[in-house]
Amino acid sequence: MAEQTAASTSSPTTLWVERTGARRYTGRSSRGAEVLVGSEGIEGVFTPGELLKIALAACTGMSTDFPLSNRLGDSYDVTIRVSGAADRENEVYPQLDEVVELDLSELDEAGRERLLVTVQRAVDKVCTVGRTLQTGTKVTLSFQIDA
């Protein structure tokens, strides 16, 4: 609990992207993380839309980690796939579909149902990315110009 308290009282992580070439950027965090971002035709990068989908899947995974590890043990395997085609006319993703791939063969049907209800509740309650996408959020844009 002391770790959580210390983490929650520390300053927020700063995030930014820097242009590294034509339609290529490197996303960075003040914690030292990096991710390569670019257009779909560029090898070795994620598109911004792919990062959105990955953020959703990762949030779902992290939200389910406690109830799943509590029931299945710390070494359980899970893959969360996410898909959704862009509506290029409106430049939005009208729907994103997640599929959680999980082996629950060691549980009986009633146990599986109980666990899946618990997992769904956890996602609904604590997946900030999913909750933000479902409810929408205000986005602002400003400019800092060196003249």
Side-chain angles (χ1 to χ4, degrees), residues 6 17 43 47 58 68 71 76 90-91 97-98 107 127 132:
V17 297
E43 287 296 315
T47 68
L68 289 175
R71 183 64 177 94
Y76 76 93
N90 296 300
E91 289 299 331
D97 300 305
E98 292 182 282
L107 303 178
C127 180
T132 299

Side-chain angles (χ1 to χ4, degrees), residues 55-135:
L56 176 61
C59 189
T60 295
M62 292 174 69
S63 299
T64 64
D65 197 68
F66 179 74
L68 289 175
S69 64
N70 190 42
R71 183 64 177 94
L72 303 175
D74 286 333
S75 63
Y76 76 93
D77 293 322
V78 66
T79 300
I80 300 139
R81 299 192 190 278
V82 61
S83 61
D87 170 354
R88 290 297 173 206
E89 185 175 319
N90 296 300
E91 289 299 331
V92 297
Y93 291 97
Q95 180 170 329
L96 297 176
D97 300 305
E98 292 182 282
V99 176
V100 178
E101 298 175 359
L102 186 61
D103 180 1
L104 298 180
S105 60
E106 69 181 49
L107 303 178
D108 63 20
E109 187 173 333
R112 285 192 297 272
E113 288 300 317
R114 280 191 307 274
L115 180 58
L116 294 177
V117 166
T118 301
V119 166
Q120 182 67 59
R121 284 183 184 151
V123 172
D124 292 344
K125 183 176 180 182
V126 300
C127 180
T128 306
V129 175
R131 291 170 56 87
T132 299
L133 289 170
Q134 289 172 350
T135 61

